[in-house]
Amino acid sequence: MAKTLALPKEQLVKQALTQMQNTLADNTWTDRQKLALTCRILFENGHDAGLAGQITARGPRPGTYWTQQLGLGFDEITASNLLLVNEDLEVLEGHGMANPANRFHSWVYRARPDVNCIIHTHPTHIAALSMLEVPLEISHMDLCPLYDDCAFLEGWPGVPVGNEEGELIAGALGDKRAILLSHHGQLSTGATIEEACVIAQLIERAAKLQLLAMAAGTVKPIIPALGREAHDWVSKPKRHAAAFNYYARQNLRQHADCLN
């Protein structure tokens, strides 16, 4: 005999969240392994643009973070070839140099103590949408983790290697988790590497769906209260970790070397 068919939605949501917290497994990868996995996940899901883009995560000491070497593609990143750099992009551990465009990551980390991982990429659909100078429109249930959580920088400041660009991008991001940068790409953040990876995956899918919908007609908005409800329902650490673990399992079938 069913016991839950008369329960209100609020109680069912609470029960589901409790069950997820107690049932969904955590992973045991190190931060460096998760960064390498994220690079491979992004590579396989449309974020590859040659040497463009950076991924960083806070390091073991304040003012430090891990990032990839300039000259390596996302499909070449391993846990062992990541660099530890300071805010001046001086290499503290590892060999090679960081991408000079990493400078704006330092500004975001300074402005957002809640952020522990930043992903900046130029995926195809985000890049195409950025050329139209229009903000991201969240109008589908699956995209709601970005509902009212994606900023927009309309003006292109040029290549982001100066402190001016760092201040501008960090200011435009504000308290959002992601930002669409006109004529440029996207930036996704997270309290965890898993969250930032999932948000980066989602923003590219959102841009693809928006372009498809715009080609067919006018995008219709969703009800704000329902958008916020869906945002909060999905935006849970356990959900982000579960999604990341799924992406990782997919990619470890052919990218197991990234853990080395």
Side-chain angles (χ1 to χ4, degrees), residues 57-65 84-88 92 109-110:
R58 289 191 191 270
R61 299 182 296 280
T64 67
Y65 51 84
L84 182 68
V85 301
N86 61 21
E87 291 182 315
D88 296 316
L92 306 176
Y109 282 127
R110 284 191 163 211

Side-chain angles (χ1 to χ4, degrees), residues 27-224:
N27 63 62
T28 58
W29 295 302
T30 67
D31 283 354
R32 293 173 71 173
Q33 288 176 323
K34 286 188 279 191
L35 282 174
L37 278 166
T38 297
C39 286
R40 304 303 180 98
I41 291 166
L42 296 175
F43 177 81
E44 292 291 347
N45 287 274
H47 288 257
D48 177 50
L51 300 182
Q54 315 92 39
I55 177 171
T56 62
R58 289 191 191 270
R61 299 182 296 280
T64 67
Y65 51 84
W66 296 102
T67 190
Q68 80 271 32
Q69 297 179 37
L70 180 64
L72 296 182
F74 277 8
D75 61 324
E76 298 177 301
I77 301 303
T78 66
S80 60
N81 66 29
L82 289 165
L83 305 176
L84 182 68
V85 301
N86 61 21
E87 291 182 315
D88 296 316
L89 303 185
E90 296 171 332
V91 176
L92 306 176
E93 292 184 30
H95 303 282
M97 66 175 286
N99 190 326
N102 273 63
R103 180 168 297 276
F104 74 85
H105 292 230
S106 297
W107 287 92
V108 174
Y109 282 127
R110 284 191 163 211
R112 293 284 299 277
D114 60 309
V115 166
N116 290 304
C117 180
I118 298 170
I119 296 171
H120 170 61
T121 57
H122 305 171
T124 299
H125 298 95
I126 280 287
L129 187 63
S130 79
M131 295 164 63
L132 302 177
E133 294 188 354
V134 297
L136 197 69
E137 295 186 61
I138 304 304
S139 186
H140 187 275
M141 179 179 69
D142 293 349
L143 311 178
C144 281
L146 287 169
Y147 188 83
D148 196 27
D149 216 351
C150 183
F152 177 56
L153 181 59
E154 185 172 359
W156 179 51
V159 292
V161 296
N163 291 310
E164 299 85 353
E165 290 81 16
E167 290 185 279
L168 181 63
I169 291 172
L173 176 66
D175 63 354
K176 308 296 186 186
R177 283 192 297 178
I179 184 170
L180 173 64
L181 307 168
S182 283
H183 307 285
H184 191 174
Q186 68 83 28
L187 183 146
S188 297
T189 70
T192 63
I193 296 169
E194 291 93 330
E195 179 182 19
C197 179
V198 171
I199 294 299
Q201 289 277 75
L202 196 61
I203 193 172
E204 167 63 354
R205 182 172 181 228
K208 181 178 182 179
L209 289 176
Q210 182 169 335
L211 290 168
L212 287 170
M214 289 168 61
T218 302
V219 177
K220 305 296 184 183
I222 57 176
I223 297 171

